[in-house]
Amino acid sequence: MSSAPPSSPADPADCGLTIFWDDRLASYDFGPGHPMNPVRVELTMALARELELTERPNVRVATFEAAGDKLLGLVHEEPYIAAVRHAGATGLPEVRHGLGTPDNPVFPGMHDASALVTGASVAAAEAVWTGGAEHAANISGGLHHALSGAASGFCVYNDPAVAIARLLENGAERVAYVDIDVHHGDGVQAAFYDDPRVLTISLHETPRTLFPGTGFPNETGGPGAEGTAVNVALPPGTGDAPWLRAFDAIVPPLLRRFRPQVLVTQHGADGHALDPLAHLILSVDGQRTAYAALHRLAHETAGGRWVVTGGGGYELVQVVPRAWTHLLAEAAGGPIPPETATPDGWRDFVQRRTGEVAPRRMTDGTSVVEVHRWGNGYDPASPVDQAVLATRRAVFPEHGLDPMTDE
């Protein structure tokens, strides 16, 4: 494949989206009581359909193939792939590979389900790279904790890392990965820590209070790749405005300087205030604002080539379906107005499927979230500003940027 992929339109409102979806993606299921319940992706796709997002003329729902061992081997060790296959076939744990733990219990067909998720992300990356799609999405993906030889944090195969590795194999010279999950994107960082072709940026709750315990500002990349691992470790209690301030202070200047050929993003919705596993207090509206910012940056810095994945998110009814439906609508160039009512048919489906009462609107009540930009001044008493400055000091000089001014 060509190392000079075609560009997409410069206007985020003038673009198309391919969603890689198969109902079998819901087979990635660790079982009853596990936080990673696939109902969240079922409800997301149901909401997108009820809002007629999938009927838009510029949106296509596409099929794909599961990732084979050769593709998985771009990131994962052969003995690990064999262990996943064996565990899923026998039900026996492979604890040395992180399989059969409370976080990653063995389930029947584990390899096939995990390879299917990875196949969707690889298909999305290939579609964007070849020009078959302007933007492409796999909301079941974003399993960013899986390591080369072990499952971790509900993640068996690291689909975003495999997708990025496939882009590199196909000739990409610069790929940027931005991870806005509340947990550090440790597996993707580890896969490319020594590779200067890949810029990984993760905004997450500080590892002092949250799994996986990595993602400090001083994790900046290995020899020859200094400054290509970027970590913003935010304090518990960070809400929309300070989170977006941190994003604005880190992500745009680095993407503008790096100029990726493809932007890959992970959109864990677990930074929301209602999420049961973490301690940030974002709203769906703040998350929606971040999606719009990433969309603009994809067009500004990566020729419009944007690969979108899901990620974490464990408030299965109130948060994830709305957040990711907003994400898909944004990627399709037609954001859903936040005051939009959720369709009656979807609310009925939620009641039947989960027994819960669905949210009635696509907003948490804040239609516009104001961003207090870094360039307007630094507050030394602010824990968020302290975290941002630590990151900027750690990596900005490696990119020829001033930690205080972006210049």
Side-chain angles (χ1 to χ4, degrees), residues 144 177-186 189 200-207 210 214-215 230-235 238 240 242-252 254-255 266-268 270-271 280 282 290 294 297 384 387-388 391:
H144 60 168
Y177 170 77
V178 178
D179 187 319
I180 61 173
D181 195 289
V182 78
H183 302 90
H184 177 223
D186 58 333
Q189 175 180 289
T200 64
I201 305 175
S202 179
L203 292 90
H204 47 266
E205 183 179 332
T206 173
L210 194 66
T214 57
V230 181
N231 290 289
V232 187
L234 297 167
T238 300
D240 288 339
W243 190 98
L244 289 165
R245 174 174 168 80
F247 177 99
D248 183 71
I250 298 294
V251 179
L254 289 175
L255 290 183
Q266 197 268 20
H267 296 267
D270 41 7
L280 299 191
L282 302 182
L294 285 167
L297 287 165
V384 170
V388 167
T391 299

Side-chain angles (χ1 to χ4, degrees), residues 122-158:
V122 170
E126 290 183 333
V128 166
W129 181 250
T130 61
E134 293 163 317
H135 306 330
N138 170 24
I139 59 164
S140 72
L143 306 180
H144 60 168
H145 293 307
L147 303 172
S148 61
S152 178
F154 315 159
C155 305
V156 177
Y157 294 139
N158 195 318

Side-chain angles (χ1 to χ4, degrees), residues 5 63 283:
T63 59
S283 69

Side-chain angles (χ1 to χ4, degrees), residues 36-402:
M36 181 76 94
N37 189 325
V39 74
R40 65 200 189 120
V41 293
E42 295 179 49
L43 296 182
T44 299
M45 289 303 296
L47 181 55
R49 291 188 186 104
E50 287 283 344
L51 287 169
E52 299 184 343
L53 174 60
T54 56
E55 303 304 315
R56 295 183 186 180
N58 64 330
V59 175
R60 181 170 69 100
V61 179
T63 59
F64 56 93
E65 300 294 328
D69 287 7
K70 183 178 179 181
L71 268 177
L72 296 171
L74 294 175
V75 169
H76 295 290
E77 300 165 1
E78 185 176 337
Y80 175 59
I81 299 169
V84 174
R85 183 178 277 109
H86 182 261
T90 65
L92 298 175
E94 296 273 359
V95 177
R96 69 185 181 280
H97 292 293
L99 302 169
T101 66
D103 273 4
N104 304 290
V106 171
F107 62 90
M110 174 181 277
H111 168 80
D112 292 341
S114 304
L116 196 68
V117 173
T118 303
S121 290
V122 170
E126 290 183 333
V128 166
W129 181 250
T130 61
E134 293 163 317
H135 306 330
N138 170 24
I139 59 164
S140 72
L143 306 180
H144 60 168
H145 293 307
L147 303 172
S148 61
S152 178
F154 315 159
C155 305
V156 177
Y157 294 139
N158 195 318
D159 62 285
V162 175
I164 292 168
R166 180 63 171 158
L167 288 168
L168 298 177
E169 185 179 58
N170 286 341
E173 297 172 348
R174 296 179 313 282
V175 178
Y177 170 77
V178 178
D179 187 319
I180 61 173
D181 195 289
V182 78
H183 302 90
H184 177 223
D186 58 333
V188 182
Q189 175 180 289
F192 304 107
Y193 200 68
D194 298 322
D195 193 332
R197 297 174 296 175
V198 181
L199 173 70
T200 64
I201 305 175
S202 179
L203 292 90
H204 47 266
E205 183 179 332
T206 173
R208 298 186 188 280
T209 57
L210 194 66
F211 176 91
T214 57
F216 289 98
N218 63 357
E219 299 169 31
T220 60
E226 294 87 353
T228 60
V230 181
N231 290 289
V232 187
L234 297 167
T238 300
D240 288 339
W243 190 98
L244 289 165
R245 174 174 168 80
F247 177 99
D248 183 71
I250 298 294
V251 179
L254 289 175
L255 290 183
R256 288 168 184 149
R257 185 56 59 98
F258 189 69
R259 303 296 303 182
Q261 292 167 297
V262 182
L263 176 62
V264 180
T265 54
Q266 197 268 20
H267 296 267
D270 41 7
H272 194 278
L274 295 180
D275 196 272
L277 300 188
H279 316 98
L280 299 191
I281 53 173
L282 302 182
S283 69
V284 165
D285 302 287
Q287 293 170 325
R288 175 177 49 80
T289 304
Y291 306 157
L294 285 167
H295 190 186
R296 290 191 299 270
L297 287 165
H299 285 273
E300 178 187 345
T301 69
R305 292 174 290 273
W306 189 24
V307 179
V308 172
T309 70
Y314 309 102
E315 210 320 311
L316 309 172
V317 172
Q318 302 300 318
V319 175
V320 176
R322 290 186 300 156
W324 288 352
T325 299
H326 276 302
L327 173 63
L328 294 175
E330 176 62 48
I336 296 168
E339 66 274 9
T340 300
T342 55
D344 292 341
W346 182 72
R347 293 199 297 269
D348 291 344
F349 176 66
V350 168
Q351 177 67 37
R352 294 194 308 272
R353 184 68 179 82
T354 70
E356 294 191 31
V357 176
R360 299 193 65 85
R361 308 195 80 78
M362 292 296 290
T363 178
D364 283 339
T366 307
S367 59
V368 178
V369 180
E370 185 178 358
V371 180
H372 302 283
R373 301 193 182 281
W374 182 262
N376 293 335
Y378 161 66
D379 179 2
S382 163
V384 170
D385 279 17
Q386 292 169 16
V388 167
L389 186 57
T391 299
R392 289 172 64 105
R393 283 175 169 163
V395 298
F396 271 37
E398 299 289 350
H399 296 269
L401 294 169
D402 186 289

